[in-house]
Amino acid sequence: MHFPGFSGEAANWLVSERSIHGVGVDTLSLDHAITQTFDAHYAFLGSGLLGIENIANLEAIMDSEATIVCGIPKYEEGSGGPARILALTGM
């Protein structure tokens, strides 16, 4: 596997220095593909933030302000699941 991701340092900085509610990426993971420690996952999810992976068409909202609506199905004892993501721009 070969794709980019957040370093643990970048993830911790975003959590502590920015008022974020979560992060979304168009790759398979919040972390760099070859990680063994999953520091970004621990930083974001450990802080109670959303971490959304495999989002399509992120380039359509690049350089825009958007309100993100994330419909997440109810599940138990899972590590994740499918979601419907809407980006509302121009509001």
Side-chain angles (χ1 to χ4, degrees):
M1 292 196 305
H2 182 75
F3 52 84
F6 291 98
S7 68
E9 182 179 72
N12 284 313
W13 183 85
L14 287 168
V15 168
S16 65
E17 300 296 325
R18 295 291 183 250
S19 298
I20 63 171
H21 300 285
V23 293
V25 295
D26 61 354
T27 59
L28 298 175
S29 178
L30 303 175
D31 286 280
H32 187 263
I34 60 171
T35 187
Q36 297 295 310
T37 58
F38 301 99
D39 296 333
H41 275 81
Y42 283 109
F44 294 128
L45 304 181
S47 297
L49 303 176
L50 285 176
I52 307 170
E53 302 162 339
N54 293 318
I55 300 178
N57 301 317
L58 283 174
E59 70 279 357
I61 62 168
M62 186 182 278
D63 299 324
S64 299
E65 288 189 24
T67 297
I68 306 299
V69 179
C70 181
I72 304 173
K74 189 175 180 180
Y75 63 91
E76 288 185 31
E77 299 182 26
S79 63
R84 296 283 186 203
I85 312 296
L86 302 173
L88 307 175
T89 60
M91 299 179 68

Coordinates of all heavy atoms in Angstrom, one line a residue:
M1 N 0.8 -1.2 0.0 CA 0.0 0.0 0.0 C 0.9 1.2 0.0 O 1.9 1.3 0.6 CB -0.9 0.0 1.2 CG -2.0 -1.1 1.2 SD -3.3 -0.8 2.4 CE -2.5 -0.7 3.9
H2 N 0.4 2.2 -0.7 CA 1.2 3.5 -0.8 C 0.2 4.7 -1.0 O -0.4 4.9 -2.0 CB 2.1 3.4 -2.0 CG 3.0 4.6 -2.2 ND1 4.1 4.9 -1.4 CD2 2.9 5.7 -3.0 CE1 4.6 6.0 -1.8 NE2 3.9 6.5 -2.7
F3 N 0.1 5.4 0.1 CA -0.7 6.6 0.1 C -0.3 7.5 1.3 O 0.2 7.0 2.3 CB -2.2 6.3 0.1 CG -2.7 5.4 1.3 CD1 -2.9 5.9 2.5 CD2 -2.8 4.1 1.0 CE1 -3.3 5.1 3.5 CE2 -3.2 3.2 2.1 CZ -3.5 3.7 3.3
P4 N -0.6 8.8 1.2 CA -0.2 9.7 2.2 C -1.2 9.7 3.4 O -2.3 9.1 3.3 CB -0.3 11.1 1.5 CG -1.4 10.9 0.5 CD -1.2 9.5 0.0
G5 N -0.8 10.3 4.5 CA -1.7 10.4 5.6 C -1.2 11.5 6.6 O -0.1 12.1 6.3
F6 N -1.9 11.7 7.6 CA -1.4 12.6 8.7 C -0.3 12.0 9.5 O -0.4 10.8 9.9 CB -2.6 13.0 9.6 CG -3.6 13.8 9.0 CD1 -4.8 13.3 8.5 CD2 -3.5 15.2 8.9 CE1 -5.8 14.0 7.9 CE2 -4.5 16.0 8.3 CZ -5.6 15.4 7.8
S7 N 0.7 12.8 9.8 CA 1.7 12.3 10.8 C 1.0 12.5 12.2 O 0.1 13.2 12.4 CB 3.0 13.1 10.7 OG 2.7 14.4 11.2
G8 N 1.6 11.8 13.2 CA 1.1 11.9 14.5 C 1.3 13.4 15.0 O 0.4 13.9 15.7
E9 N 2.4 14.0 14.6 CA 2.7 15.3 15.0 C 1.6 16.3 14.4 O 1.1 17.2 15.1 CB 4.1 15.7 14.6 CG 4.5 17.1 15.0 CD 5.9 17.4 14.5 OE1 6.1 17.6 13.3 OE2 6.8 17.5 15.4
A10 N 1.3 16.1 13.1 CA 0.3 17.0 12.5 C -1.0 16.8 13.1 O -1.8 17.8 13.3 CB 0.3 16.7 11.0
A11 N -1.4 15.6 13.3 CA -2.7 15.3 13.9 C -2.8 15.9 15.3 O -3.9 16.5 15.6 CB -2.9 13.8 14.0
N12 N -1.8 15.8 16.1 CA -1.9 16.3 17.5 C -1.9 17.9 17.4 O -2.6 18.5 18.2 CB -0.6 15.9 18.3 CG -0.8 14.5 18.8 OD1 -1.8 14.1 19.3 ND2 0.2 13.7 18.6
W13 N -1.2 18.5 16.4 CA -1.3 19.9 16.3 C -2.7 20.4 15.9 O -3.2 21.3 16.5 CB -0.3 20.4 15.2 CG -0.2 21.9 15.1 CD1 0.5 22.7 15.8 CD2 -0.9 22.7 14.1 NE1 0.3 24.0 15.4 CE2 -0.6 24.0 14.4 CE3 -1.8 22.4 13.1 CZ2 -1.1 25.0 13.6 CZ3 -2.4 23.4 12.4 CH2 -2.0 24.7 12.6
L14 N -3.3 19.7 15.0 CA -4.7 20.0 14.6 C -5.6 19.9 15.7 O -6.5 20.8 15.9 CB -5.1 19.2 13.4 CG -4.5 19.5 12.0 CD1 -4.8 18.3 11.1 CD2 -5.0 20.8 11.5
V15 N -5.5 18.9 16.5 CA -6.4 18.7 17.7 C -6.2 19.8 18.7 O -7.2 20.3 19.2 CB -6.1 17.3 18.3 CG1 -6.8 17.2 19.7 CG2 -6.6 16.2 17.4
S16 N -4.9 20.2 19.0 CA -4.7 21.1 20.1 C -4.7 22.6 19.6 O -5.0 23.5 20.4 CB -3.3 20.8 20.7 OG -2.3 21.0 19.8
E17 N -4.5 22.9 18.4 CA -4.3 24.3 17.9 C -5.5 24.8 17.0 O -5.5 25.9 16.7 CB -3.0 24.4 17.2 CG -1.8 24.1 18.0 CD -1.6 25.1 19.2 OE1 -2.0 26.3 19.1 OE2 -1.2 24.6 20.2
R18 N -6.3 23.9 16.6 CA -7.4 24.3 15.7 C -8.8 23.8 16.3 O -8.8 22.8 16.9 CB -7.2 23.7 14.3 CG -6.0 24.3 13.6 CD -6.3 25.8 13.2 NE -5.2 26.3 12.5 CZ -4.4 27.3 13.0 NH1 -4.5 27.6 14.2 NH2 -3.4 27.8 12.3
S19 N -9.8 24.5 16.0 CA -11.2 24.1 16.4 C -11.8 23.2 15.4 O -12.8 23.6 14.7 CB -12.0 25.3 16.7 OG -11.5 26.2 17.7
I20 N -11.3 22.0 15.3 CA -11.8 21.1 14.3 C -12.8 20.1 15.0 O -12.7 19.9 16.2 CB -10.7 20.3 13.6 CG1 -9.9 19.4 14.5 CG2 -9.8 21.2 12.8 CD1 -9.0 18.4 13.8
H21 N -13.7 19.6 14.2 CA -14.7 18.6 14.7 C -14.3 17.2 14.1 O -14.9 16.2 14.6 CB -16.1 19.0 14.3 CG -16.5 20.3 14.8 ND1 -16.8 20.5 16.1 CD2 -16.5 21.5 14.2 CE1 -17.1 21.8 16.3 NE2 -16.9 22.4 15.2
G22 N -13.4 17.1 13.2 CA -13.1 15.9 12.6 C -12.2 16.1 11.3 O -11.9 17.3 11.0
V23 N -11.8 15.0 10.7 CA -11.0 15.1 9.5 C -11.5 14.1 8.5 O -12.1 13.1 8.8 CB -9.5 14.8 9.7 CG1 -8.9 15.9 10.6 CG2 -9.3 13.5 10.4
G24 N -11.3 14.4 7.2 CA -11.8 13.5 6.1 C -10.7 13.5 5.1 O -10.0 14.4 4.8
V25 N -10.4 12.3 4.6 CA -9.4 12.0 3.6 C -10.0 11.2 2.4 O -11.0 10.5 2.6 CB -8.2 11.3 4.2 CG1 -7.5 12.2 5.2 CG2 -8.5 10.0 4.8
D26 N -9.3 11.3 1.3 CA -9.8 10.5 0.1 C -9.0 9.2 0.0 O -9.0 8.5 -1.0 CB -9.8 11.3 -1.1 CG -8.4 11.8 -1.5 OD1 -7.4 11.6 -0.7 OD2 -8.2 12.4 -2.6
T27 N -8.2 8.9 1.0 CA -7.4 7.7 1.0 C -8.0 6.6 1.9 O -9.0 6.8 2.5 CB -5.9 8.0 1.4 OG1 -6.0 8.5 2.7 CG2 -5.3 9.0 0.5
L28 N -7.3 5.5 2.0 CA -7.8 4.4 2.8 C -7.6 4.6 4.3 O -8.2 3.8 5.1 CB -7.1 3.1 2.4 CG -7.3 2.6 1.0 CD1 -6.4 1.4 0.7 CD2 -8.7 2.3 0.7
S29 N -6.9 5.6 4.8 CA -6.6 5.7 6.2 C -6.2 7.1 6.5 O -5.7 7.9 5.7 CB -5.4 4.8 6.6 OG -5.1 4.9 7.9
L30 N -6.5 7.5 7.8 CA -6.0 8.8 8.2 C -4.5 8.9 8.4 O -3.9 9.9 8.2 CB -6.6 9.1 9.6 CG -8.2 9.1 9.7 CD1 -8.6 9.3 11.1 CD2 -8.8 10.1 8.8
D31 N -3.9 7.7 8.6 CA -2.5 7.6 8.8 C -1.8 7.2 7.4 O -2.4 6.7 6.5 CB -2.1 6.4 9.7 CG -2.4 6.8 11.2 OD1 -1.6 7.5 11.8 OD2 -3.5 6.4 11.7
H32 N -0.5 7.5 7.4 CA 0.3 7.1 6.2 C 0.2 5.6 6.1 O 0.1 4.8 7.1 CB 1.8 7.5 6.5 CG 2.7 7.3 5.3 ND1 3.5 6.2 5.2 CD2 2.9 8.1 4.2 CE1 4.2 6.3 4.1 NE2 3.8 7.4 3.5
A33 N 0.2 5.1 4.9 CA 0.0 3.7 4.6 C 0.9 2.7 5.3 O 0.4 1.6 5.7 CB 0.1 3.4 3.1
I34 N 2.1 3.0 5.5 CA 3.1 2.1 6.1 C 3.2 2.2 7.6 O 4.0 1.5 8.2 CB 4.5 2.2 5.5 CG1 5.0 3.6 5.7 CG2 4.4 1.9 4.0 CD1 6.5 3.8 5.3
T35 N 2.3 2.9 8.3 CA 2.4 3.1 9.7 C 2.1 1.8 10.4 O 1.4 0.9 10.0 CB 1.4 4.1 10.2 OG1 1.7 4.4 11.6 CG2 0.0 3.7 10.1
Q36 N 2.8 1.6 11.5 CA 2.5 0.5 12.4 C 1.9 1.0 13.8 O 1.5 0.1 14.6 CB 3.8 -0.3 12.7 CG 4.4 -0.9 11.4 CD 3.5 -2.0 10.8 OE1 3.1 -2.9 11.5 NE2 3.3 -1.9 9.5
T37 N 1.9 2.3 14.0 CA 1.5 2.8 15.3 C 0.1 3.6 15.2 O -0.5 3.8 16.2 CB 2.5 3.8 15.8 OG1 2.8 4.8 14.9 CG2 3.8 3.0 16.1
F38 N -0.3 4.0 14.1 CA -1.6 4.6 13.9 C -1.8 5.9 14.8 O -2.8 6.1 15.4 CB -2.8 3.6 14.1 CG -2.7 2.5 13.1 CD1 -2.1 1.3 13.5 CD2 -3.1 2.6 11.8 CE1 -2.0 0.2 12.6 CE2 -3.0 1.6 10.9 CZ -2.4 0.3 11.3
D39 N -0.7 6.7 14.8 CA -0.7 7.9 15.6 C -1.8 8.9 15.3 O -2.4 9.5 16.2 CB 0.6 8.6 15.6 CG 1.7 7.7 16.1 OD1 1.5 6.9 17.0 OD2 2.9 7.9 15.7
A40 N -2.1 9.0 14.0 CA -3.2 10.0 13.6 C -4.6 9.5 14.1 O -5.4 10.2 14.6 CB -3.2 10.2 12.1
H41 N -4.8 8.2 14.0 CA -6.0 7.6 14.5 C -6.2 7.9 16.0 O -7.2 8.3 16.4 CB -6.1 6.1 14.2 CG -6.6 5.7 12.9 ND1 -5.8 5.7 11.8 CD2 -7.8 5.3 12.5 CE1 -6.5 5.4 10.7 NE2 -7.7 5.1 11.1
Y42 N -5.1 7.6 16.7 CA -5.2 7.8 18.2 C -5.4 9.3 18.5 O -6.1 9.6 19.4 CB -3.9 7.3 18.8 CG -3.9 5.8 19.0 CD1 -3.1 5.0 18.2 CD2 -4.8 5.1 19.9 CE1 -3.1 3.6 18.3 CE2 -4.8 3.7 20.0 CZ -4.0 3.0 19.2 OH -4.0 1.6 19.3
A43 N -4.8 10.2 17.8 CA -4.9 11.6 18.1 C -6.3 12.1 17.8 O -6.9 12.7 18.6 CB -3.9 12.4 17.2
F44 N -6.8 11.8 16.6 CA -8.2 12.3 16.2 C -9.3 11.6 17.0 O -10.1 12.2 17.6 CB -8.4 12.2 14.7 CG -7.5 13.0 13.9 CD1 -6.8 12.5 12.8 CD2 -7.4 14.4 14.1 CE1 -6.0 13.3 12.0 CE2 -6.6 15.2 13.3 CZ -5.9 14.7 12.3
L45 N -9.3 10.3 16.8 CA -10.4 9.5 17.4 C -10.3 9.5 19.0 O -11.3 9.5 19.6 CB -10.4 8.1 16.9 CG -10.5 8.0 15.3 CD1 -10.5 6.5 14.9 CD2 -11.6 8.7 14.8
G46 N -9.1 9.5 19.5 CA -8.9 9.5 20.9 C -9.4 10.8 21.5 O -9.6 10.9 22.7
S47 N -9.5 11.9 20.7 CA -10.0 13.2 21.2 C -11.5 13.3 20.9 O -12.1 14.4 21.1 CB -9.3 14.3 20.5 OG -7.9 14.3 20.8
G48 N -12.1 12.2 20.5 CA -13.6 12.3 20.2 C -14.0 12.9 18.9 O -15.1 13.3 18.7
L49 N -13.0 13.1 18.0 CA -13.3 13.7 16.7 C -13.7 12.6 15.7 O -13.3 11.5 15.8 CB -12.1 14.5 16.2 CG -11.6 15.6 17.2 CD1 -10.3 16.2 16.6 CD2 -12.7 16.6 17.4
L50 N -14.4 13.0 14.6 CA -14.7 12.1 13.5 C -13.5 11.9 12.7 O -12.7 12.9 12.4 CB -15.8 12.7 12.7 CG -17.2 12.7 13.2 CD1 -18.1 13.4 12.2 CD2 -17.7 11.3 13.4
G51 N -13.3 10.8 12.2 CA -12.3 10.5 11.2 C -12.9 9.7 10.0 O -13.4 8.6 10.2
I52 N -13.0 10.4 8.9 CA -13.8 9.8 7.8 C -12.8 9.5 6.6 O -12.0 10.4 6.2 CB -14.9 10.8 7.3 CG1 -15.8 11.2 8.5 CG2 -15.7 10.1 6.2 CD1 -16.7 12.3 8.2
E53 N -12.8 8.3 6.2 CA -11.8 7.9 5.1 C -12.6 7.5 3.8 O -13.8 7.3 3.8 CB -11.1 6.6 5.6 CG -10.4 6.9 6.9 CD -10.0 5.6 7.7 OE1 -10.6 4.5 7.5 OE2 -9.0 5.7 8.5
N54 N -11.9 7.5 2.7 CA -12.4 7.2 1.4 C -13.5 8.1 0.9 O -14.4 7.7 0.2 CB -12.9 5.7 1.4 CG -11.9 4.7 1.6 OD1 -10.8 4.8 1.0 ND2 -12.1 3.7 2.4
I55 N -13.3 9.4 1.2 CA -14.3 10.4 0.7 C -14.0 10.7 -0.8 O -12.9 11.0 -1.1 CB -14.3 11.6 1.5 CG1 -14.7 11.3 3.0 CG2 -15.3 12.7 1.0 CD1 -14.6 12.5 3.9
A56 N -15.0 10.7 -1.6 CA -14.8 11.0 -3.0 C -15.1 12.5 -3.3 O -15.8 13.1 -2.5 CB -15.8 10.2 -3.9
N57 N -14.5 13.0 -4.3 CA -14.7 14.4 -4.8 C -14.3 15.5 -3.8 O -14.9 16.6 -3.9 CB -16.2 14.5 -5.2 CG -16.5 13.5 -6.3 OD1 -15.8 13.3 -7.2 ND2 -17.7 12.9 -6.1
L58 N -13.4 15.3 -3.0 CA -12.9 16.4 -2.1 C -12.4 17.6 -2.8 O -12.5 18.7 -2.4 CB -11.8 15.9 -1.1 CG -12.3 15.0 0.0 CD1 -11.2 14.5 0.8 CD2 -13.3 15.8 0.9
E59 N -11.9 17.4 -4.0 CA -11.3 18.5 -4.8 C -12.4 19.5 -5.2 O -12.2 20.6 -5.4 CB -10.6 18.0 -6.1 CG -11.5 17.4 -7.2 CD -12.0 15.9 -6.9 OE1 -11.5 15.3 -6.0 OE2 -12.7 15.4 -7.7
A60 N -13.7 19.0 -5.2 CA -14.8 19.9 -5.5 C -15.0 21.0 -4.4 O -15.6 22.0 -4.7 CB -16.1 19.1 -5.7
I61 N -14.6 20.8 -3.2 CA -14.8 21.8 -2.2 C -13.4 22.4 -1.7 O -13.4 23.1 -0.7 CB -15.5 21.2 -1.0 CG1 -14.8 20.0 -0.3 CG2 -16.9 20.8 -1.4 CD1 -15.3 19.6 1.0
M62 N -12.4 22.1 -2.4 CA -11.1 22.6 -2.0 C -11.2 24.2 -2.1 O -11.8 24.7 -3.0 CB -10.0 22.1 -3.0 CG -8.6 22.6 -2.6 SD -7.3 22.0 -3.7 CE -7.1 20.3 -3.2
D63 N -10.5 24.8 -1.1 CA -10.5 26.3 -1.1 C -11.9 26.9 -0.8 O -12.2 28.0 -1.2 CB -9.9 26.9 -2.3 CG -8.4 26.5 -2.5 OD1 -7.7 26.3 -1.4 OD2 -8.0 26.3 -3.6
S64 N -12.8 26.1 -0.3 CA -14.2 26.6 0.0 C -14.5 26.3 1.5 O -14.0 25.4 2.1 CB -15.2 25.8 -0.8 OG -15.0 26.0 -2.2
E65 N -15.4 27.2 2.0 CA -15.9 26.9 3.3 C -17.1 26.0 3.1 O -17.9 26.2 2.1 CB -16.4 28.2 4.0 CG -15.2 29.0 4.4 CD -15.6 30.1 5.3 OE1 -16.7 30.1 6.0 OE2 -14.8 31.1 5.4
A66 N -17.3 25.0 3.9 CA -18.4 24.1 3.7 C -18.9 23.6 5.1 O -18.1 23.5 6.0 CB -18.0 22.9 2.9
T67 N -20.2 23.3 5.2 CA -20.7 22.6 6.3 C -20.9 21.2 5.9 O -21.4 20.9 4.9 CB -22.1 23.2 6.7 OG1 -22.0 24.6 7.0 CG2 -22.7 22.4 7.8
I68 N -20.3 20.3 6.7 CA -20.3 18.9 6.4 C -21.4 18.2 7.2 O -21.5 18.4 8.4 CB -18.9 18.2 6.7 CG1 -17.8 19.0 6.0 CG2 -18.9 16.8 6.4 CD1 -17.9 19.0 4.5
V69 N -22.2 17.4 6.5 CA -23.2 16.6 7.1 C -22.9 15.2 6.9 O -22.6 14.7 5.8 CB -24.6 16.9 6.5 CG1 -25.7 16.1 7.1 CG2 -25.0 18.4 6.5
C70 N -22.8 14.5 8.0 CA -22.3 13.1 8.0 C -23.4 12.2 8.6 O -23.6 12.2 9.8 CB -21.0 13.0 8.8 SG -20.3 11.3 8.8
G71 N -24.0 11.4 7.7 CA -25.0 10.4 8.2 C -24.3 9.1 8.5 O -23.8 8.5 7.5
I72 N -24.3 8.7 9.7 CA -23.6 7.5 10.1 C -24.6 6.5 10.6 O -25.4 6.8 11.5 CB -22.5 7.8 11.2 CG1 -21.5 8.9 10.8 CG2 -21.8 6.5 11.6 CD1 -20.6 9.3 11.8
P73 N -24.6 5.3 10.1 CA -25.5 4.3 10.5 C -25.2 3.8 11.9 O -24.0 3.9 12.4 CB -25.3 3.1 9.5 CG -24.0 3.3 9.0 CD -23.7 4.8 9.0
K74 N -26.2 3.3 12.6 CA -26.0 2.8 14.0 C -25.3 1.4 13.9 O -25.7 0.6 13.2 CB -27.3 2.7 14.7 CG -27.3 2.4 16.1 CD -28.7 2.4 16.7 CE -28.7 2.1 18.2 NZ -30.0 2.1 18.7
Y75 N -24.2 1.3 14.7 CA -23.6 0.0 14.7 C -22.9 -0.2 16.1 O -22.7 0.7 16.8 CB -22.5 -0.2 13.6 CG -21.4 0.8 13.7 CD1 -20.2 0.5 14.4 CD2 -21.5 2.0 13.1 CE1 -19.2 1.4 14.4 CE2 -20.4 3.0 13.1 CZ -19.3 2.6 13.8 OH -18.2 3.5 13.9
E76 N -22.7 -1.5 16.4 CA -22.1 -1.8 17.7 C -20.9 -2.7 17.5 O -20.8 -3.5 16.6 CB -23.1 -2.6 18.6 CG -24.2 -1.7 19.1 CD -25.1 -2.5 20.1 OE1 -24.6 -3.4 20.8 OE2 -26.3 -2.2 20.1
E77 N -19.9 -2.4 18.3 CA -18.7 -3.2 18.4 C -17.9 -3.4 17.0 O -17.3 -4.4 16.8 CB -19.0 -4.6 18.9 CG -19.5 -4.6 20.3 CD -19.8 -5.9 20.9 OE1 -19.2 -6.9 20.5 OE2 -20.7 -6.0 21.8
G78 N -18.0 -2.3 16.2 CA -17.3 -2.3 14.9 C -16.2 -1.3 15.0 O -16.2 -0.4 15.8
S79 N -15.4 -1.4 14.0 CA -14.3 -0.4 13.9 C -14.6 0.7 12.9 O -13.9 1.6 12.7 CB -13.0 -1.1 13.5 OG -13.2 -1.7 12.2
G80 N -15.8 0.6 12.3 CA -16.2 1.6 11.3 C -17.4 1.1 10.5 O -17.8 0.0 10.7
G81 N -17.8 1.9 9.6 CA -18.9 1.6 8.7 C -19.2 2.6 7.7 O -18.5 3.7 7.6
P82 N -20.0 2.3 6.7 CA -20.3 3.2 5.6 C -21.1 4.5 6.1 O -21.7 4.4 7.1 CB -21.2 2.4 4.7 CG -21.9 1.4 5.6 CD -20.9 1.1 6.6
A83 N -20.9 5.6 5.4 CA -21.6 6.8 5.8 C -21.9 7.6 4.5 O -21.3 7.4 3.5 CB -20.6 7.7 6.6
R84 N -22.9 8.4 4.6 CA -23.3 9.4 3.6 C -22.8 10.7 4.0 O -23.1 11.2 5.1 CB -24.8 9.4 3.4 CG -25.5 8.2 3.0 CD -25.3 8.0 1.5 NE -26.0 6.8 1.1 CZ -25.7 6.1 0.0 NH1 -24.7 6.4 -0.7 NH2 -26.4 5.0 -0.3
I85 N -22.0 11.3 3.1 CA -21.3 12.6 3.4 C -21.8 13.7 2.5 O -21.8 13.5 1.2 CB -19.8 12.5 3.3 CG1 -19.2 11.3 4.0 CG2 -19.1 13.8 3.8 CD1 -19.4 11.3 5.5
L86 N -22.3 14.8 3.0 CA -22.7 15.9 2.1 C -21.9 17.1 2.5 O -21.7 17.4 3.7 CB -24.2 16.2 2.4 CG -25.2 15.1 2.1 CD1 -26.6 15.6 2.5 CD2 -25.2 14.8 0.6
A87 N -21.4 17.9 1.5 CA -20.7 19.1 1.8 C -21.6 20.3 1.3 O -21.9 20.3 0.1 CB -19.4 19.2 1.0
L88 N -22.1 21.1 2.2 CA -23.0 22.2 1.8 C -22.1 23.5 1.7 O -21.5 23.9 2.7 CB -24.1 22.4 2.9 CG -24.9 21.1 3.2 CD1 -25.8 21.4 4.4 CD2 -25.6 20.6 2.0
T89 N -22.0 24.0 0.5 CA -21.2 25.2 0.2 C -22.0 26.3 -0.2 O -23.2 26.2 -0.5 CB -20.1 24.9 -0.9 OG1 -20.8 24.6 -2.1 CG2 -19.2 23.7 -0.5
G90 N -21.4 27.5 -0.1 CA -22.1 28.7 -0.6 C -23.3 29.1 0.3 O -24.3 29.7 -0.2
M91 N -23.2 28.8 1.5 CA -24.4 29.1 2.4 C -24.1 30.4 3.1 O -23.1 30.9 3.4 CB -24.5 28.0 3.4 CG -24.8 26.7 2.8 SD -25.0 25.3 4.0 CE -26.5 25.8 4.8

